[in-house]
Structures are given as C-alpha cells and as structure tokens.
C-alpha cells in the first residue's frame, strides 16, 4: 500500500502556507521588498478588489529586547520580516494567507463565514481506518512538492540584497521541517564557526507555546488543503506516566528495526523517510544555512538516552505541578526563569520545584531527549512525525493552563523578552504574519478543542482514560434514569 501511495503522489504540486511564497521569491519582489501576490479570485493584489485584504506597510514596534542577544542588524530574522519585505498583505475580516486566499483558523467556506470547531483526539482513540488515513496523509505531504512555497538556502546578504535569489523547492512536509530549523538555528555572525548560540526565536522564552500553536494550526490547514479532507485534525499522544514509546509501532509511528536499534522497522512507511536540516554543528562550522538536501534516514532509539539528562518520561504529578504555576513567565523570561509555567512546561524549570536552569530536562524537552535520535536535535526535531503528536499534547496542556488561570493579554510580555519573543513581534518565519500575543488565547477562539478537555471544568490526571470514563459515566446515568422511569418515579423523571 505504501509504495503505491509514494508512486502515485511523488512530486505532485500542492499549496503550502508558510515561509517564502514562490511569487515573492523573485528578484523584483526582494529588491522592492514587497510581498503582495494577487488572489486568483479577482487577480488583484491581496484580493483588494473583492475586499479580502490590502497591500500595506509592515509595522514592527521598537520595544526593547532582553540582553541574551547583544546584536542588531546581523540576523535576517530580527524584526521579521523587514529584512526581506516591508510590505505584505494585511487581510480583512475572516480572510488569511499570504494573498488573503484562505480563511482564519476556525473558519471555512468560500467567503470564510462558516464557523466550525475541530476536535483533536488521542491517537489511541482513533479507529484503524483513521490511523491509516493519518499516516497516509503524512506520507503524501512528505512526497509532494509545495507549489506555493520555497525555502531560503542563503542569507539576504548572500543573495546580494535580493539580486541573486537563493531558494529551493521542498516537499509540503519538509517546509515545516525547514521552518523549525530556521526559527531555532544559531545566528550567523559572518565566516566559518562564527555563530551566536544563545538565540532562538521559538524556544527558551515566552513565544515557545504560541509559536508552536501556530505551527500546528498551519500544518493542520496545509493537510486539509492538500487532501481536500476538511475534517482532518492532528491527534495527540498523551505521554504522561508512559514507560516507553507506545506510539512506536509499525501500525503507528514506526517500530524499532531488527537490523539497528537506531533505525525504524522496514514494516513502517517512515523507515524510507530521509531527513534534512539535521546537522547543526556542520552548518555552524561552515557558517552557512541548511541547503534543504537529504541527509540520511530518520533516526530513533527511544529509551536509550542519557539518563543523567532525562530520568524518564513526565508524570501526571509533574504536569499538574506545572499547571498550578500562576505566572506564565518570570524574571529574564529565558531558561533561568523560576516558577514560570512556560519554562517548566518547556523543560528547563524543575517539574517538582519550578526552579530554572534545571540540571535535568523535564516535560516537553524530556520527550525529545527520550526519543534519542532525530527528535533530540532542536533544529532537526520536526523530521520525526512523532513531533506532531508530542506538540499537540503540549499544546493541550498550554490550553489547560489558559483555561485554569485565564490570564489577561497583559501577562504576555510586551518588552524585554529575548529577541523575537515580545508580544508584538511577528513570528519567524511565518508568511502570513502572526504576532506572538495573538495566540495567547484559548484554542476555542481558534476553532479547535481537545477531546479530554470537553468539560472546561475538568483538569484530569490521566487524559488517556478521561474520554472513556466520561462516556461510561453518561451510560450509567442513562441506565439509572431509565430504571427509575420504569418504576414511575415522577419526581426524578419530571425534574
């Protein structure tokens, strides 16, 4: 079945919704710094003739950043996207996209006026057919070249300020792999080995959770466009209290190869996948960007990791401790932050004390280290499709915290966060543009829900069993009502 899918879909073209729009990767667009492609519906830039949006100047505020990155004007990601573009499409109403051709998250239909809520479910609650469909969609995305987007293989300076565009074609799935690499890569200061490592525009600071929320939403949206399946949702893996990688089976995300503990079983479609942007040290030594070429097989050896860094997978008690922390971020708002929900959830705050700069990694980071392979490199971690299941569950915990504490938007820092993480900063490297603060809101406002959070008042200790327990409770309640009604207990039947 898998070879047939690969043969049928390899090198097909499909739309994608992140990074550099192909229409904006030209010499003219880069030299004019304008990315306002036409909407096919009326041929006007940003669909302006139909009122979908307008080509406008990009507004980037000047609030100060924290001290972690002491440079200015050296990295293309600073003040995103101004190095590349200072005019982009600003969409109106419920429209979204680099040319306002799409709908905001949670809206559907030709005119983007159909509001729907999607339900993300535990991968173990999916039927066999649903699991097969999910894996088929992943494989389709991996072997379908993006029609709308390309990725940068050189800096703006190497492009001679736009005169020599340096971009590469890439698959729909690998657009997302590249994005995660690009946002987290070290800053190139000029020349081989001259890099700044203490910088990350999506990790180690407040934007960690909002950025990955947007990343998953775009990924979900992309698969819907690619397959035509508007009901598609990313499932999650509830890893609390797990003793091992229970999604690492050939039926799901791939078992262990009998030939090598670092490879995936040949019975899994993922055993044929090739990774990219996974050799961070080599790029640093050469002082270059990842060129988006294949670099070898997907690696994974769960559980055979360094126990001095990660003892085990996170527990329910540790998740509950993180959820109890009332402050989203604190102090320097980096890996040193104490009693910070974000830092504890990300894995650099101790999950039992809340103290930052923990010598051992916990929570989100623990899962990455535990996988002991492609997932364990920050820049290359999205090569492993388990990344999606993992971050969907991390996002669900973020959602629990938002519902429990109901923070005001002012709790998200407006200034002095590490570079790229202030509230008004545009998320790197998204086009269309998104500000960090715009995703410091409930998932319900963005059109999706988690199956184990259906009751907003519940914060379960074991998400794996909540759904089944809840349905069992309803069933028993119904039987009791029918029993009493059968004996004509009108006081109950007519309440």
């Amino acid at each position: 079945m898998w070879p047939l899918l690969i043969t049928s879909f390899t090198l097909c073209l499909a739309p994608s919704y992140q990074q550099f729009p192909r229409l904006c990767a030209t010499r003219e667009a880069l030299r004019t710094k304008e990315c306002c492609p036409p909407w096919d519906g009326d041929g006007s830039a940003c669909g302006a003739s139909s009122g979908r949006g307008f080509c406008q100047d990009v507004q980037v505020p000047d609030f100060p950043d924290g001290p972690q990155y002491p440079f200015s004007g050296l990295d293309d990601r600073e003040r995103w996207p101004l190095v590349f573009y200072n005019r982009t499409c600003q969409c109106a109403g419920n429209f979204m996209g680099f040319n306002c051709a799409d709908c905001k998250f949670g809206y559907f239909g030709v005119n983007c006026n159909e509001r729907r809520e999607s339900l993300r479910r535990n991968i173990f609650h999916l039927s066999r057919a649903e699991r097969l469909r999910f894996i088929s969609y992943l494989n389709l995305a991996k072997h379908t070249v993006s029609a709308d987007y390309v990725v940068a293989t050189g800096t703006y300076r190497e492009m001679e300020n736009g005169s020599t565009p340096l971009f590469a074609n890439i698959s729909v799935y690998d657009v997302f792999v590249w994005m995660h690499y690009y946002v987290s890569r070290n800053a190139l200061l000029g020349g081989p080995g001259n890099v700044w490592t203490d910088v990350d525009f999506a990790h180690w600071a407040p934007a960690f959770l909002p950025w990955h929320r947007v990343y998953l939403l775009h990924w979900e949206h992309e698969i819907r466009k690619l397959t035509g399946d508007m009901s598609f949702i990313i499932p999650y893996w509830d890893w609390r209290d797990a003793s091992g990688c229970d999604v690492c089976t050939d039926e799901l995300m791939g078992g262990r190869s009998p030939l090598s503990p670092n490879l995936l079983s040949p019975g899994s479609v993922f055993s044929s996948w090739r990774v990219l942007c996974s050799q961070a040290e080599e790029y640093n030594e050469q002082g270059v960007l990842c060129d988006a070429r294949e670099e070898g097989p997907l690696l994974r050896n769960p559980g055979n990791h360094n126990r001095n860094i990660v003892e085990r997978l996170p527990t329910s008690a540790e998740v509950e401790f993180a959820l109890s922390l009332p402050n989203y971020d604190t102090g320097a708002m980096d890996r040193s932050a104490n009693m910070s929900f974000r830092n504890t959830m990300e894995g650099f705050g101790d999950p039992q004390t809340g103290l930052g700069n923990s010598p051992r990694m916990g929570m989100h980071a623990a899962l990455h280290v535990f996988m002991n392979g492609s997932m364990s490199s920050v820049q290359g971690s999205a090569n492993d499709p388990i990344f999606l299941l993992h971050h969907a569950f991390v996002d669900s915990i973020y959602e629990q915290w938002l519902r429990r504490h109901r923070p005001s938007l002012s709790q998200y820092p407006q200034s002095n966060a590490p570079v790229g993480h202030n509230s008004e900063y545009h998320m790197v490297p998204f086009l269309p543009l998104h500000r960090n603060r715009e995703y410091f809101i409930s998932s319900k406002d963005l059109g999706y829900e988690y199956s184990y959070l259906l009751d907003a008042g519940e914060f379960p200790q074991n998400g794996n069993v909540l759904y089944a327990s809840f349905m069992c409770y309803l069933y028993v309640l119904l039987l009791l009502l029918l029993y009493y009604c059968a004996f004509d207990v009108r006081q109950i039947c007519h309440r």
Side-chain angles (χ1 to χ4, degrees), residues 263-274 297-298:
L263 298 176
L264 274 62
S265 163
S268 166
V269 63
F270 302 118
S271 65
S272 66
W273 279 28
R274 294 296 178 265
L298 179 62

Side-chain angles (χ1 to χ4, degrees), residues 1-40:
M1 179 172 125
W2 300 122
L4 178 61
L5 282 173
I6 295 172
T7 302
S8 301
F9 295 116
T10 297
L11 299 182
C12 293
L13 294 179
S16 179
Y17 294 86
Q18 291 78 242
Q19 240 320 280
F20 293 90
R22 192 177 294 274
L23 294 174
C24 297
T26 64
R27 181 182 292 106
E28 179 182 2
L30 291 170
R31 293 301 298 271
T32 61
K33 291 182 175 287
E34 182 171 294
C35 181
C36 294
W39 173 52
D40 289 342

Side-chain angles (χ1 to χ4, degrees), residues 46-97:
C46 312
S49 297
S50 301
R52 297 178 78 95
F54 304 92
C55 188
Q56 296 183 354
D57 292 344
V58 176
Q59 302 296 322
V60 177
D62 291 319
F63 294 111
D65 298 319
Q68 295 86 354
Y69 178 75
F71 308 101
S72 178
L74 289 180
D75 192 289
D76 291 347
R77 298 167 296 178
E78 296 174 33
R79 298 168 60 80
W80 182 261
L82 292 186
V83 168
F84 292 99
Y85 311 109
N86 56 30
R87 285 175 62 81
T88 64
C89 289
Q90 307 295 308
C91 304
N94 296 330
F95 300 113
M96 188 183 75

